[in-house]
Amino acid sequence: MSTYSQRRKQITKLVPEGSLVTRSWLQAHELTNHAIDNLLKSQQLETVKNGVYKREGSKIEWGDVVYFLQRQLSTDLTIGGISALELQKLAHYLPISEQRLVHLYGRDNLPVWVNGLATGTKFQKHSSRDLFGNSVEDEKASELIEFTKVLNWKNTNEGLRIATPERAILEVMNQVPGSISFEHADELMQGLNTLSPRTLQKLLELCTSVKVRRMFFYLAERQNHSWFTKLQTENINFGSGNRVIVKGGKLNKKYKITVPDFYE
């Protein structure tokens, strides 16, 4: 029979500081229901939510929550949009608010209760269908994984799944003008001078949002990035008709979108 000190040593190794684990995960790592219940009774494990635990007194950080969502719950939720650009040091400035807002993109649901786990952090989920349509659930779902990279997180082997800059900037543009201004998107585009034209081409062909494609080309051309001339517009559907992005703005005749007056 394991002693208290042996169990504590075991749980310290199995559940590091900040880790969130499920009962099924603990069982898969050779802990019986009886052993888990004993760890809870002795307060070596604390219940976070029914069937979800952390180590006694462990402080949860935002990345611990994302790691749990991606690796323990096996969701497709990916850090994206402006959060991905900020973490890759491609954002011009950080938000003034003391609260970190982490944007997650995917098909799977974001559990409501995770927003109370990491102090000073809120998670916002966006549907990947907004950019890649309903068929993202089928053949495109696996293709989207291609446009992610790994962000190191603590001592985890897998790290956090995060959108590449090419994917992230399209996700940002999909939030214009709702939560991101046209001008802010332009500032972000200005710093993206090392994007891969091959990756962009694939993403723009997968993208189903006419508004995003037009806005992307308008801002990329405006910033005169070297990769812009390598994009093949003949393979991209720009749709028809005008699109109002900036209310009261001026219509750009080439891309048929409204932009701030002083841009034209």
Side-chain angles (χ1 to χ4, degrees):
M1 181 179 293
S2 298
T3 64
Y4 177 86
S5 60
Q6 287 174 328
R7 289 200 305 269
R8 177 172 286 278
K9 186 176 181 180
Q10 180 186 19
I11 206 63
T12 298
K13 182 178 180 180
L14 193 59
V15 187
E17 171 70 21
S19 294
L20 294 164
V21 294
T22 62
R23 180 174 284 262
S24 59
W25 186 88
L26 290 170
Q27 291 171 333
H29 286 75
E30 301 182 352
L31 284 180
T32 65
N33 275 324
H34 181 68
I36 296 169
D37 291 337
N38 282 338
L39 289 166
L40 290 167
K41 287 177 183 177
S42 63
Q43 298 183 339
Q44 293 179 68
L45 282 181
E46 295 179 5
T47 298
V48 174
K49 184 73 175 175
N50 292 342
V52 180
Y53 314 103
K54 67 174 183 174
R55 213 171 72 200
E56 175 196 17
S58 186
K59 181 180 178 182
I60 305 300
E61 299 179 43
W62 69 268
D64 298 321
V65 177
V66 176
Y67 186 83
F68 172 75
L69 292 169
Q70 293 180 348
R71 307 302 177 182
Q72 286 270 327
L73 297 189
S74 299
T75 72
D76 70 339
L77 297 176
T78 300
I79 302 171
I82 196 165
S83 295
L85 294 179
E86 288 172 356
L87 290 168
Q88 294 172 81
K89 303 186 186 305
L90 294 171
H92 281 245
Y93 56 84
L94 296 175
I96 297 174
S97 172
E98 294 181 0
Q99 186 178 65
R100 175 190 286 269
L101 180 60
V102 179
H103 296 273
L104 299 173
Y105 292 76
R107 298 164 296 152
D108 296 324
N109 293 327
L110 174 71
V112 176
W113 55 269
V114 301
N115 267 318
L117 293 180
T119 302
T121 302
K122 181 180 179 182
F123 299 92
Q124 184 174 349
K125 190 254 176 160
H126 306 267
S127 174
S128 51
R129 295 184 185 92
D130 293 343
L131 272 178
F132 302 104
N134 291 328
S135 59
V136 74
E137 294 187 2
D138 302 318
E139 70 276 3
K140 290 184 182 178
S142 58
E143 291 184 59
L144 293 182
I145 298 296
E146 177 186 349
F147 309 110
T148 62
K149 59 194 300 186
V150 174
L151 178 72
N152 291 333
W153 180 254
K154 294 185 175 178
N155 295 319
T156 59
N157 292 327
E158 305 94 335
L160 305 180
R161 188 171 60 249
I162 183 173
T164 61
E166 293 84 0
R167 174 177 164 180
I169 190 60
L170 295 184
E171 291 167 339
V172 164
M173 290 185 183
N174 200 44
Q175 291 181 251
V176 177
S179 57
I180 294 179
S181 70
F182 191 95
E183 293 85 351
H184 190 184
D186 185 30
E187 290 174 356
L188 292 169
M189 178 64 85
Q190 183 180 359
L192 300 178
N193 54 10
T194 59
L195 298 187
S196 162
R198 180 176 297 179
T199 301
L200 283 171
Q201 187 72 37
K202 291 180 182 179
L203 278 166
L204 289 164
E205 290 180 19
L206 283 173
C207 178
T208 58
S209 171
V210 170
K211 180 199 84 169
V212 169
R213 286 195 295 262
R214 292 187 191 180
M215 185 177 172
F216 177 86
F217 270 85
Y218 174 84
L219 292 179
E221 183 176 290
R222 171 181 167 81
Q223 295 301 336
N224 196 30
H225 288 308
S226 59
W227 46 257
F228 176 73
T229 57
K230 299 177 183 178
L231 297 177
Q232 300 170 4
T233 57
E234 62 273 15
N235 295 327
I236 297 171
N237 180 14
F238 287 93
S240 59
N242 299 333
R243 294 292 190 278
V244 177
I245 296 179
V246 178
K247 290 184 179 180
K250 192 170 183 179
L251 181 69
N252 173 267
K253 294 181 179 179
K254 181 175 182 179
Y255 293 107
K256 297 180 181 179
I257 58 173
T258 57
V259 301
D261 284 344
F262 56 89
Y263 273 67
E264 289 291 303

